[in-house]
Amino acid sequence: MRSIWNGAISFGLVSIPIKLVNATESHSISFRQIHVTDGGRVRYRKVCELDGEEVSTAEIGKGYEEADGSIIPITEQDLAQLPIPTAKTIEIVSFVPSDEIDPLQLDAAYYLAANGATAAKPYTLLREALKRSRRVAIAKYALRGRERLGMLRVVDDVIAMHGLLWPDEIRAPEGVAPEASVSVREAELDLADALMATLGEVEMSSLHDDYREAVESMIAAKAGGAFEPTEAVVEPAGGQVIDLMAALENSVRAAKASRGGGDAGAADAGGTGGPAAQGAGAEVTPIRRKAAAAAPKAVGGKKSTASGARKTAAAAKKTATKSTSTAAAGKARSAKSTSGATKSTSAATKSASAGTKSTSAAAKKTASAGTAKKPAPRKRSSA
């Protein structure tokens, strides 16, 4: 690999000659600007403002523009002769645990290669010291016209350096966190833990850029003249409003199914499995719940025991009233037949007694099984 910078690592009184090599590369596809009408390439030409002539890359240097518009030329030799120790040196300033480095600070990555046979021994010494201490080295170095901060760590048998942003280059996350006060239940955290455990780990080497591969396939098809544009099938977001618990349960179930991880229903908190199945493919919208002071309604339209008892008592009263009315009618007809009146009165008395027994039985049955939807209809007693 081609080096982009030569210098040395300053490690106390030890100096290690090294070469800086890019540790990363971009595989993104770049496009050219073209004239849509005829497909001609659109280029940017570098032209001198004074003489109007196009300038080649070899003729282009650096300059600093003053407030009045005047330009002060700056050469590479000027930058190399700056009176700072990091001009050609990676100066280690401290060793710290790796978890003290905020990942937000990480920038470009480089490999540090030993430059020459004499550099092999001190290079190996620093590498092994970093391994044994389980620490990283914080260093300062100058590259491309400015001083930078770096972190040295061991990757396999090589010392790698990550460029770090200066602390004042990290913006404070003001106004980014949700403004509303949100509380998370333990059951929701348990399901989130179950989802993370189900998804497990992934081999980083197995991840690849699907978008880049699709673009490369499209370019190859257009070059061969066999390209037929097709619309991507995008599954619409579900319109249902579901609870976060249902979404978590469904996610755990789907993750287990995709990995062949046994019974997905076991991931439900408290053994519940219904809500997740109903929320499949739905949009996750948190539901605002009312205060828990009100007692939850019974499922399936069940009525309370007290309500059933009141209705049973009312029906019994109505039955008794009708029985009394029938008895009165029997007495009126008794003027013609004393015997018939006696029989009618006896029948009315039996009917009222039966109505009272029926009412008592229904009330007892309702009290013991208050979850019944309605009291069963009774046959009216005939006079």
Side-chain angles (χ1 to χ4, degrees), residues 10-380:
S10 175
F11 178 30
L13 298 177
V14 179
S15 180
I16 310 172
I18 56 98
K19 297 184 293 183
L20 199 66
V21 179
N22 277 323
T24 62
E25 59 185 359
S26 175
H27 291 165
S28 61
I29 299 173
S30 58
F31 298 100
R32 302 294 187 185
Q33 291 185 327
I34 62 171
H35 188 195
V36 177
T37 304
D38 54 17
R41 172 86 179 275
V42 176
R43 296 179 180 273
Y44 290 98
R45 296 184 177 180
K46 298 178 180 180
V47 179
C48 177
E49 290 182 351
L50 297 180
D51 56 19
E53 296 183 359
E54 186 175 354
V55 181
S56 64
T57 303
E59 298 176 289
I60 297 175
K62 297 177 181 178
Y64 178 80
E65 184 176 2
E66 294 276 19
D68 59 0
S70 60
I71 302 294
I72 300 176
I74 303 295
T75 65
E76 293 296 333
Q77 185 178 5
D78 295 334
L79 296 174
Q81 293 177 349
L82 289 175
I84 56 174
T86 57
K88 295 294 288 184
T89 304
I90 299 174
E91 183 182 5
I92 295 176
V93 295
S94 67
F95 294 88
V96 300
S98 59
D99 56 5
E100 289 189 10
I101 305 300
D102 190 340
L104 283 174
Q105 289 186 260
L106 295 178
D107 201 357
Y110 308 94
Y111 290 135
L112 304 182
N115 191 5
T118 57
K121 182 65 179 287
Y123 183 95
T124 304
L125 172 64
L126 176 59
R127 183 191 67 197
E128 296 304 315
L130 288 172
K131 278 185 180 181
R132 190 168 71 171
S133 67
R134 297 183 180 178
R135 291 175 173 247
V136 296
I138 302 301
K140 294 171 68 176
Y141 65 102
L143 181 66
R144 298 186 179 121
R146 70 185 185 95
E147 190 173 55
R148 302 165 187 261
L149 196 62
M151 177 187 74
L152 278 64
R153 69 184 184 97
V154 178
V155 177
D156 295 334
D157 290 330
V158 175
I159 298 175
M161 181 174 70
H162 295 268
L164 298 178
L165 299 175
W166 295 99
D168 60 356
E169 293 179 316
I170 305 296
R171 300 175 61 184
E174 297 177 357
V176 179
E179 296 181 359
S181 178
V182 179
S183 60
V184 179
R185 294 179 294 167
E186 287 295 327
E188 292 169 339
L189 285 173
D190 291 342
L191 275 174
D193 290 341
L195 178 58
M196 289 189 289
T198 304
L199 291 176
E201 299 179 356
V202 65
E203 289 290 338
M204 295 299 292
S205 59
S206 67
L207 302 178
H208 58 278
D209 189 347
D210 293 325
Y211 182 82
R212 176 172 59 87
E213 291 180 358
V215 173
E216 289 174 346
S217 298
M218 177 198 60
I219 293 173
K222 295 195 79 167
F227 177 69
E228 295 182 3
T230 57
E231 292 187 6
V233 179
V234 180
E235 296 182 1
Q240 293 175 268
V241 178
I242 62 176
D243 198 353
L244 180 59
M245 286 288 290
L248 287 169
E249 290 172 0
N250 190 58
S251 299
V252 174
R253 188 177 295 107
K256 283 196 172 186
S258 65
R259 292 175 179 266
D263 184 13
D268 296 343
T272 59
Q278 297 171 2
E283 187 180 56
V284 178
T285 305
I287 297 177
R288 293 185 178 179
R289 303 184 183 280
K290 295 182 180 179
K297 294 183 179 179
V299 179
K302 296 178 182 179
K303 300 180 180 179
S304 64
T305 304
S307 176
R310 286 197 297 270
K311 290 193 175 183
T312 303
K317 185 177 180 181
K318 186 175 181 181
T319 303
T321 302
K322 288 183 178 181
S323 298
T324 305
S325 176
T326 304
K331 288 180 181 180
R333 290 194 297 270
S334 65
K336 293 182 180 180
S337 177
T338 303
S339 176
T342 301
K343 292 180 179 179
S344 178
T345 302
S346 176
T349 301
K350 291 180 179 180
S351 176
S353 176
T356 302
K357 291 180 180 180
S358 177
T359 301
S360 177
K364 290 180 179 179
K365 185 177 181 180
T366 304
S368 62
T371 56
K373 295 183 178 179
K374 290 183 179 180
R378 296 182 303 278
K379 294 183 179 180
R380 294 181 181 177

